[in-house]
Amino acid sequence: MEDTGRHLLKFKGYYFKRVGLDVDFLENLDDFEIRDDDVFIITYPKSGTIWSQQLLSLIYFEEHGKRTENLETVDPVPFLDARPSHLFSTHLPHYLVPRGLKNKKAKVIYIYRNPKDVMCLYFHFSHKWAENEAKTTIEEFMELFLEGKVTGSLWFDHIKSWYEHRSHFNIHFMMYEDMKKDLINSVLKVCRFLGKELNEEVLDAVVRQATFQNMKYDPLANYESILNSQPEGKRKEGPFLRKGTIGDWKNHMTVEQNERFDKIFQIKMKDFPLEFIWDINEE
Ligand SMILES: Nc1ncnc2c1ncn2[C@@H]1O[C@H](COP(=O)(O)OS(=O)(=O)O)[C@@H](OP(=O)(O)O)[C@H]1O
């Protein structure tokens, strides 16, 4: 384990947020018991984690009559210690997840989002939430992001390695921008993957409760209890759900930053088959 001396801790090549990190738990993660009906949401941070948690909670809520509570838990390995639930959520790279997840019975839903938006909202988040994070400029933060020196490590490695190892898992890839464009269709695909059938009324209710506007005012979905535990200064910086839009990077990145990002993206993601949506107006 490498101590970076900042707010990050590198464990087996992956950067974790130092605060609250349970290293013993991580050491034993490989042996974490996986059950056939477990469902894992896997994301790089800021890619639609909370939204997909909300969706899964709602989908299962209809079945079990009880909403899962695990939305309120945070790091070190978000939500992974939430037994007796069978719904989990984590940012782990493929090589750190419990080996039982490769039984191909348990299900993995990998959510991804265009990395410019990820980087920009991560920048906002780093100012708002991560207490030990240095107050960087976006220029500085972009460098950290492109070097993978943030919680979650390198975005490029995360998505590429999950995709490259997809045959080891029972996995469904879903794009944040597709969820934005057509949530009903995205939910239907998830249900098909989970082997669930929702009648029209229930599907309607799930989708309605998972809209940005609804979640913004849902204390559980909007991390309100965590927000309320923050110092007042931080609370003033606004709620966890900020904008939830596609293409907000255009409001933050300069032309030069964008060109530099594109150049690196093209090199790193050469031949990567999944497509990205960068801006809703460009379709
Ligand atoms: N319902 C719904 N619709 C659209 N967008 C939504 C929704 N719920 C969450 N979000 C947006 O997801 C962004 C947070 O990403 P994560 O949940 O992955 O963050 S985290 O990694 O768990 O910290 C964050 O994006 P920004 O608002 O753009 O900052 C959330 O607003």
Side-chain angles (χ1 to χ4, degrees), residues 43-55 78-79 89 91 111 113 117 120-122 124-125 128-129 176 179-180 183 209-216 221-223 239-246 248:
T43 59
Y44 184 87
K46 318 299 154 210
S47 303
T49 323
I50 307 296
W51 195 7
S52 21
Q53 285 165 2
Q54 173 87 342
L55 280 173
F79 322 114
S89 176
H91 300 313
I111 313 288
R113 181 176 186 175
D117 278 338
C120 287
L121 75 100
Y122 210 160
H124 282 286
F125 178 87
K128 193 186 299 177
W129 291 86
Y176 175 92
M179 293 162 69
K180 285 285 301 181
L183 189 53
Q209 288 176 80
T211 59
F212 183 81
Q213 279 314 318
N214 261 326
M215 285 180 58
K216 203 172 164 81
N222 207 5
Y223 279 168
F240 181 79
L241 270 74
R242 205 175 44 92
K243 279 188 167 178
T245 54
I246 303 172
D248 193 38

Side-chain angles (χ1 to χ4, degrees), residues 45-144:
K46 318 299 154 210
S47 303
T49 323
I50 307 296
W51 195 7
S52 21
Q53 285 165 2
Q54 173 87 342
L55 280 173
L56 277 209
S57 279
L58 289 166
I59 289 169
Y60 281 89
F61 169 70
E62 300 301 333
E63 194 181 44
H64 299 295
K66 160 166 126 21
R67 183 158 165 192
T68 57
E69 294 288 331
N70 43 2
L71 285 174
E72 276 202 288
T73 330
V74 276
D75 285 343
V77 185
F79 322 114
L80 205 69
D81 51 353
R83 291 268 181 234
S85 169
H86 60 121
L87 300 180
F88 298 95
S89 176
T90 178
H91 300 313
L92 287 171
H94 85 277
Y95 66 88
L96 284 184
V97 292
R99 68 170 175 279
L101 201 51
K102 293 187 184 155
N103 69 10
K104 291 206 192 172
K105 289 186 178 128
K107 296 184 168 73
V108 176
I109 300 175
Y110 186 92
I111 313 288
Y112 61 101
R113 181 176 186 175
N114 90 60
K116 290 181 196 172
D117 278 338
V118 169
M119 190 274 287
C120 287
L121 75 100
Y122 210 160
F123 168 71
H124 282 286
F125 178 87
S126 74
H127 279 231
K128 193 186 299 177
W129 291 86
E131 293 189 31
N132 297 332
E133 196 100 27
K135 292 270 179 189
T136 52
T137 61
I138 190 152
E139 179 86 21
E140 292 163 338
F141 189 82
M142 186 168 120
E143 290 315 307
L144 291 173

